[in-house]
């Protein structure tokens, strides 16, 4: 990374980079088809949340585009937790299903954590199961949350493959983005700080960063005064705010202000969002491979037992 900063930061094009990821997935799906292997993703939607329906439709469309078989299961708002868990148990037991995604949020009557932890970790393509979270921290090969994985790809496409020694600040400490993001940056040999609601002088901490990942859920909180000249900014936030022309989407970063200081920045929309779906499908392929490896090891164990 250089210290020179252009008049305005360049946009990090999440649409273009996600298209590269989807092309990679498509090529691997074609190669697997030649071996008579057909990865499949099961998506479970409970209730009638309009945004969830849009998200599920987009995920299924992308899956179809890359050749991943998708299975959609819809349950009514009135579905019980027991019904949801029973369906997940059936999908866990189905060897033809490689990935299971439960679209969040769930109705208030259903315990989200109970549902997430009912998914077989090796099929948990969201990467939210406690075994995958713990495995990620310990450096094992596990299914990793899609958004942080997508952010890492954006950073490598922007900064180069070697992020060693860069100082990264993650704003937000959620289980879905902030914590796994910090872990992935540590694994990439960055020096990592996590800024949160109890941090003292958060802007000063952020001004030390070569990389800023904003995932705090507060519209346009971070502006130019938070940034070191030449920083790379990844804006995970998606916030809907009212304007004179109607509702519009903004990130956690004030884009117009930040781009006067940053070297590169993700726009909202069109930055991180497309990467999340791309890495959901990439995770489906990884899950398929992990399952084949586990099956081969299990068969090997059986063979060894028979020999003894």
């Amino acid at each position: 990374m250089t210290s020179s900063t252009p008049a305005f930061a360049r946009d990090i094009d999440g649409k273009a980079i996600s298209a590269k990821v989807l092309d990679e997935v498509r090529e691997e799906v074609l190669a697997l088809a030649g071996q008579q292997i057909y990865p499949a993703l099961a998506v479970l939607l409970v209730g009638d949340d309009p945004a969830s329906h849009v998200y599920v439709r987009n995920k299924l469309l992308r899956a179809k585009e890359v050749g991943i078989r998708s299975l959609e299961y819809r349950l009514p708002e009135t579905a019980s937790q027991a019904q949801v868990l029973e369906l997940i148990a059936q999908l866990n037991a189905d060897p033809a299903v490689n990935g299971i995604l439960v679209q969040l949020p769930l109705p208030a009557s259903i315990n989200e954590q109970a549902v997430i932890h009912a998914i077989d970790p090796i099929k948990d393509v969201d990467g939210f199961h406690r075994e995958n979270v713990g495995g990620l921290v310990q450096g094992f090969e596990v299914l990793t949350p899609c958004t942080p994985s997508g952010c890492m790809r954006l950073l490598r496409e922007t900064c180069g493959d070697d992020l060693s020694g860069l100082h990264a600040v993650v704003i937000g400490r959620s289980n879905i983005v902030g914590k796994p993001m910090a872990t992935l940056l540590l694994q990439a040999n960055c020096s990592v700080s996590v800024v949160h609601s109890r941090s003292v002088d958060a802007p000063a901490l952020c001004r030390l960063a070569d990389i800023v990942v904003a995932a705090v859920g507060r519209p346009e909180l971070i502006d130019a005064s938070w940034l070191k000249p030449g920083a790379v900014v990844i804006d995970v936030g998606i916030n809907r705010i009212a304007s004179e022309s109607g509702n519009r989407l903004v990130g956690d970063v004030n884009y117009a202000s930040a781009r006067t200081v940053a070297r590169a920045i993700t726009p909202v929309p069109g930055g991180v969002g497309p990467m999340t779906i791309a890495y959901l499908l990439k995770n489906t392929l990884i899950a398929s491979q992990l399952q084949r490896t586990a099956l081969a090891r299990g068969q090997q164990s059986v063979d060894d037992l028979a020999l003894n």
Side-chain angles (χ1 to χ4, degrees):
M1 298 179 64
T2 65
S3 59
S4 61
T5 308
F8 291 104
R10 72 175 179 87
D11 280 352
I12 302 172
D13 191 343
K15 290 182 179 179
I17 297 171
S18 69
K20 289 174 63 174
V21 176
L22 292 173
D23 283 342
E24 294 165 7
V25 172
R26 188 180 295 108
E27 289 179 10
E28 190 168 345
V29 169
L30 284 171
L32 290 173
Q35 305 171 47
Q36 304 297 302
I37 298 170
Y38 305 99
L41 170 66
V43 180
L44 172 57
L45 176 61
V46 184
D48 298 310
D49 181 72
S52 291
H53 280 267
V54 172
Y55 295 146
V56 167
R57 183 169 65 248
N58 288 338
K59 290 168 183 175
L60 295 175
L61 283 173
R62 297 291 91 75
K64 183 177 180 180
E65 288 174 3
V66 299
I68 288 178
R69 188 166 63 94
S70 58
L71 308 166
E72 184 179 8
Y73 298 87
R74 296 194 179 196
L75 294 177
E77 185 84 15
T78 55
S80 68
Q81 181 167 311
Q83 288 174 300
V84 175
L85 294 177
E86 180 181 1
L87 177 53
I88 289 173
Q90 293 171 5
L91 297 173
N92 282 340
D94 187 348
V97 172
N98 302 111
I100 302 172
L101 180 145
V102 177
Q103 183 63 46
L104 303 178
L106 291 169
S109 60
I110 297 175
N111 184 317
E112 286 189 357
Q113 290 303 307
V115 169
I116 288 169
H117 297 309
I119 300 171
D120 186 336
I122 210 169
K123 295 189 177 186
D124 166 38
V125 287
D126 263 335
F128 296 163
H129 192 285
R130 62 173 68 90
E131 287 191 22
N132 287 327
V133 173
L136 173 62
V137 172
Q138 294 179 342
F140 293 119
E141 183 181 13
V142 294
L143 293 166
T144 301
C146 306
T147 298
S149 296
C151 290
M152 291 301 298
R153 178 64 177 264
L154 292 175
L155 286 170
R156 288 192 164 101
E157 293 277 345
T158 304
C159 306
D161 286 337
D162 187 4
L163 304 178
S164 298
L166 298 180
H167 181 203
V169 167
V170 178
I171 307 173
R173 51 179 171 176
S174 72
N175 291 333
I176 293 174
V177 179
K179 291 175 184 176
M181 187 77 234
T183 301
L184 289 172
L185 287 163
L186 278 172
Q187 290 179 358
N189 298 314
C190 293
S191 298
V192 182
S193 303
V194 178
V195 169
H196 48 79
S197 59
R198 300 298 179 90
S199 295
V200 177
D201 201 353
L205 294 173
C206 287
R207 282 193 294 272
L208 301 173
D210 304 301
I211 294 167
V212 174
V213 181
V216 71
R218 293 181 58 185
E220 299 184 320
L221 172 68
I222 296 97
D223 62 16
S225 69
W226 289 56
L227 303 175
K228 178 172 79 172
V232 172
V233 179
I234 305 294
D235 189 354
V236 181
I238 302 179
N239 310 283
R240 192 176 298 275
I241 64 172
S243 66
E244 293 180 359
S245 58
N247 290 339
R248 65 188 181 94
L249 291 177
V250 300
D252 293 345
V253 177
N254 185 315
Y255 174 81
S257 173
R259 69 193 295 257
T260 65
V261 175
R263 177 165 74 90
I265 185 171
T266 55
V268 176
V272 172
M275 299 299 294
T276 299
I277 295 180
Y279 270 82
L280 167 67
L281 301 177
K282 197 170 185 70
N283 270 359
T284 303
L285 287 182
I286 294 170
S288 174
Q289 177 59 55
L290 290 173
Q291 289 154 39
R292 293 196 304 276
T293 300
L295 182 63
R297 286 175 178 165
Q299 185 60 53
Q300 183 64 47
S301 297
V302 171
D303 291 343
D304 290 344
L305 184 62
L307 288 172
N308 292 330

